[in-house]
Amino acid sequence: MFSIARHTALRQARSSILKASRPPFSQSSLARLLSTLAILEQRDGKLNPSSLAAVTAGTQLGGSVTGILAGKNAKAVAEEAAKVEGIEKILYIENEAYDKGLPEHYAPLLVENIKKGGFTHIFAGHSAFGKTLMPRVAALLDVQQISDITSIENETTFVRPIYAGNAILTVESTDPIKIVTLRGTSFPPSPIGSGTATLEQGTDPSAPAQAEWVSESLAQSDRPELSTAERVVSGGRGLKSKEEFDRIIPPLADAIGAAIGASRAAVDSGFADNSLQVGQTGKNVAPQLYLCAGISGAIQHLAGMKDSKVIAAINKNAEAPIFEVADVGLVADLFDAVPELTEKLKK
Amino acid sequence: MSGLRILVPVKRVVDYTLKPRINKTQTAVDVSGLKHSMNPFDELSIEEAVRLRERKVPVDDILAFSAGPAKSQDVLRTAMAMGADRALHVVEEKEELEPLGVAKLLAQVVKDEDRNLVILGKQSIDDDAGQTGQMLAGLLGWAQATQASKVEVNGEEITVTKEVDGGVETVKAKLPMVVTTDLRLNEPRYASLPNIMKAKKKPLVKKALEDYGIDLKRRLKTVKVTEPPVRKGGAKVEDVDGLIGKLKELGAL
């Protein structure tokens, strides 16, 4: 018992030491030559705070950090983003055409502004927006992008997981411009505080878009957002049906104010929406508590949650691989254990 | 109107159920002796191309493509057993191509083979980069729709429902277009024995990188490959009270 607690505490301590002792690149003489363009996201005139991970990465690197925002009310959003700590300047492009973030429009916009600004590093979140946009930008600039990094070694060297997180690759870029997407759980958003960035109008090439936005349908939820939640309650195939998933998982999540996640098996079987999928091909989460029930722990699932601070698992199969990573394991029928847990936590 | 001339790039990767090892010198992932298969997202691409034809969308032909070692032929044969008409293999034994290099190669294949629709997987499960489709669309100046969960073709117009953070988004574009597939798009079929036999007779053209005259020098250098930090499971508890107690002890509740 004791050793487990110690182990977890050690791990936490170690990771915080690592973060604190990360070399400040700004001390390097190169820092003066480094300049980051941080791709900021907005939706319906609101800044997406998770995109501020790009600012965090820029400040870790050292050198100047410029943000870029485009859309109908880009200037208003830029004024909000100007308070973000670490940004020196924000380029805004007011044009409704960029509201939906279509890559056919947006990539030429970024290319123009990158060329004009002479940036050495382009950082964007590895979000749906970043994933669809940045490789297109990279190709237009003839750069090999580095995807989904978890840390920055120095101005040319970056660390990223490969093989569903089963290997950690440290890679050095020889490209003159570094185009990098960031794993959100590894780069906490730079806080909105007392920043005083200057605003400047960016260049708008008004490239024609070949594609047209038709509609969207986003899952409405009062619960915390999965990828940034402090706590996540996740269900798998063991829930047996959508009805049982909906009956058992949400009350537990609500009892501890957690977001809901699911394994691919649960998503494929239609128990839960695809947007809740945690794993290599879904979302990466690293909450304080990841509490899962009826999930066996396939490597693709572990890829998305094994950086959680504390993992707790309920599974009736004592041999399930999830127990190899769980800090706390309970071998029990989830249909008994989860409702009991929910009741006791409500008190 | 002429029909769809579809290109489906496929990649041979370590089977998704296997956990690869890191080599002793920490320079690479050791995949020797491990079972390889078609990248799961590429199976979805082939399946979608074949289903378009089955849904009576006019499809002129489906070309499967792979760049990589001689053994990549196996996945091309699988693609043909699933319904691709023919295959093109760019044989490269020495070096693994980067997404930018593959995209450049594909852009040339698109021109050589007069393609008007490219369907790729959203990512390969080895490198996990998720770049090739978008890069190809950029190089060609084509419309792109990534992480497709639904593809509808209506004449020259394609409507794609995409998986995005928190839900779905629908976009439409006129051909030519690049689409990348997400897990929900379809359920790939198993190749039946008769179709596997038939696939052996379908044409498979082999080419070399030199035939394309494109500079595919790697831009990224591997500094090292290491094991992820090992996470040790803790003890098991007896009951729900034990679970709550332990979580409180760990400061998680």
Side-chain angles (χ1 to χ4, degrees):
Chain A
M1 290 293 221
F2 237 28
S3 64
I4 305 145
R6 200 179 55 199
H7 188 87
T8 310
L10 261 178
R11 191 164 54 219
Q12 278 171 355
R14 209 179 297 141
S15 70
S16 60
I17 289 167
L18 268 178
K19 278 199 182 99
S21 67
R22 187 170 279 154
F25 302 113
S26 50
Q27 283 173 6
S28 132
S29 59
L30 269 168
R32 274 172 284 128
L33 305 171
L34 300 174
S35 66
T36 292
L37 184 67
I39 314 299
L40 305 182
E41 297 178 37
Q42 62 115 8
R43 170 178 285 280
D44 304 328
K46 288 230 165 60
L47 181 68
N48 177 353
S50 65
S51 69
L52 298 175
V55 179
T56 310
T59 46
Q60 280 185 14
L61 188 71
S64 69
V65 180
T66 302
I68 187 164
L69 264 162
K72 190 166 134 196
N73 293 315
K75 192 173 181 191
V77 188
E79 276 162 9
E80 188 191 344
K83 299 191 196 95
V84 172
E85 283 168 24
I87 307 190
E88 285 174 28
K89 185 163 78 179
I90 297 177
L91 300 172
Y92 67 91
I93 297 93
E94 290 231 315
N95 183 342
E96 207 172 338
Y98 300 113
D99 269 2
K100 299 301 178 189
L102 289 174
E104 297 85 355
H105 262 145
Y106 223 107
L109 170 83
L110 290 180
V111 168
E112 280 290 308
N113 285 283
I114 291 164
K115 283 184 178 163
K116 194 176 165 214
F119 299 100
T120 57
H121 291 73
I122 318 301
F123 288 130
H126 195 66
S127 59
F129 178 72
K131 279 191 265 191
T132 197
L133 174 65
M134 298 317 288
R136 194 173 175 114
V137 174
L140 293 175
L141 291 168
D142 196 29
V143 167
Q144 176 52 56
Q145 178 184 320
I146 305 169
S147 290
D148 203 21
I149 68 158
T150 51
S151 73
I152 298 172
E153 292 268 300
N154 60 45
E155 57 273 6
T156 56
T157 311
F158 306 90
V159 179
R160 59 181 298 263
I162 54 173
Y163 286 90
N166 283 302
I168 307 297
L169 170 69
T170 304
V171 75
E172 188 183 348
S173 168
T174 58
D175 280 317
I177 303 176
K178 277 57 167 172
I179 298 187
V180 179
T181 61
L182 314 157
R183 178 169 290 202
T185 53
S186 303
F187 294 88
S190 199
I192 299 177
S194 53
T196 51
T198 53
L199 267 51
E200 189 180 307
Q201 231 167 334
T203 308
D204 187 353
S206 301
Q210 300 91 328
E212 186 186 333
W213 185 89
V214 179
S215 65
E216 69 188 354
S217 160
L218 301 181
Q220 295 299 319
S221 175
D222 298 332
R223 296 198 181 85
E225 212 273 310
L226 178 59
S227 48
T228 53
E230 289 279 292
R231 292 167 179 174
V232 173
V233 170
S234 209
R237 202 203 302 265
L239 269 306
K240 291 202 168 72
S241 70
K242 177 166 170 48
E243 290 69 35
E244 292 294 295
F245 192 101
D246 290 345
R247 183 174 73 85
I248 293 200
I249 295 296
L252 176 58
D254 292 341
I256 58 171
I260 294 177
S263 69
R264 182 183 160 189
V267 169
D268 281 354
S269 310
F271 303 175
D273 190 77
N274 191 66
S275 61
L276 303 184
Q277 187 185 318
V278 171
Q280 182 187 22
T281 60
K283 290 216 164 61
N284 284 295
V285 301
Q288 295 295 322
L289 172 62
Y290 188 84
L291 177 50
C292 62
I295 289 179
S296 64
I299 55 174
Q300 299 81 11
H301 186 74
L302 300 182
M305 46 64 86
K306 66 182 176 187
D307 293 328
S308 305
K309 300 290 177 295
V310 175
I311 297 173
I314 300 173
N315 202 300
K316 67 178 177 190
N317 174 11
E319 306 300 318
I322 190 77
F323 289 123
E324 289 164 24
V325 299
D327 300 289
V328 196
L330 174 60
V331 181
D333 186 339
L334 71 91
F335 293 102
D336 300 326
V338 177
E340 185 189 340
L341 179 63
T342 305
E343 276 314 305
K344 288 184 168 158
L345 288 174
K346 268 193 204 160
K347 281 178 196 157
Chain B
M1 193 205 90
S2 64
L4 295 174
R5 299 176 301 279
I6 308 176
L7 173 65
V8 185
V10 295
K11 186 175 182 184
R12 178 178 178 269
V13 298
V14 171
D15 192 85
Y16 74 95
T17 54
L18 301 177
K19 194 175 163 168
R21 297 172 305 269
I22 317 286
N23 69 9
K24 284 205 180 71
T25 49
Q26 296 200 327
T27 50
V29 173
D30 180 11
V31 295
S32 57
L34 290 180
K35 183 191 172 201
H36 283 63
S37 315
M38 190 190 299
N39 181 41
F41 294 102
D42 304 344
E43 291 184 357
L44 298 159
S45 314
I46 291 280
E47 179 66 29
E48 194 63 18
V50 175
R51 285 191 191 191
L52 284 172
R53 175 183 273 156
E54 288 170 352
R55 291 206 302 259
K56 307 288 181 217
V57 171
V59 173
D60 287 355
D61 87 322
I62 303 169
L63 170 64
F65 170 94
S66 197
K71 282 180 176 162
S72 304
Q73 270 189 40
D74 298 350
V75 297
L76 288 171
R77 290 287 173 202
T78 305
M80 290 192 284
M82 289 172 72
D85 301 304
R86 58 197 180 95
L88 173 59
H89 180 198
V90 173
V91 188
E92 170 57 28
E93 296 285 349
K94 292 191 293 288
E95 203 155 43
E96 170 129 8
L97 299 174
E98 293 173 337
L100 183 65
V102 176
K104 287 180 177 176
L105 206 50
L106 288 171
Q108 192 54 49
V109 172
V110 162
K111 284 172 194 150
D112 293 350
E113 301 280 345
D114 189 24
R115 301 288 98 183
N116 57 7
L117 177 64
V118 186
I119 309 179
L120 310 87
K122 75 164 174 180
Q123 77 193 67
S124 65
I125 59 162
D126 48 3
D127 187 43
D128 283 334
Q131 300 170 356
T132 309
Q134 298 89 307
M135 287 182 156
L136 175 63
L139 294 175
L140 293 168
W142 287 10
Q144 68 178 62
T146 50
Q147 299 191 219
S149 59
K150 193 176 179 191
V151 176
E152 289 167 291
V153 179
N154 192 352
E156 290 277 296
E157 192 170 82
I158 302 195
T159 305
V160 179
T161 304
K162 306 166 52 185
E163 301 285 340
V164 294
D165 299 337
V168 295
E169 179 183 79
T170 304
V171 296
K172 68 177 177 187
K174 287 223 163 66
L175 289 172
M177 192 174 187
V178 173
V179 174
T180 75
T181 59
D182 208 337
L183 283 170
R184 273 215 294 196
L185 182 60
N186 59 46
E187 202 156 315
R189 70 196 61 195
Y190 288 102
S192 67
L193 189 58
N195 284 341
I196 293 171
M197 300 312 287
K198 269 187 229 162
K200 290 187 177 167
K201 298 203 178 80
K202 289 184 178 178
L204 189 158
V205 173
K206 275 191 255 180
K207 288 200 174 186
L209 272 184
E210 295 75 49
D211 297 337
Y212 289 88
I214 304 169
D215 175 20
L216 297 174
K217 204 171 76 214
R218 286 183 69 93
R219 309 293 183 83
L220 304 180
K221 283 191 266 183
T222 297
V223 177
K224 63 179 175 186
V225 181
T226 55
E227 296 277 351
V230 179
R231 182 157 193 137
K232 276 224 185 83
K236 289 185 180 124
V237 292
E238 287 299 313
D239 52 20
V240 169
D241 289 326
L243 181 69
I244 294 172
K246 189 78 210 173
L247 289 178
K248 285 191 171 149
E249 192 185 313
L250 294 172
L253 278 179

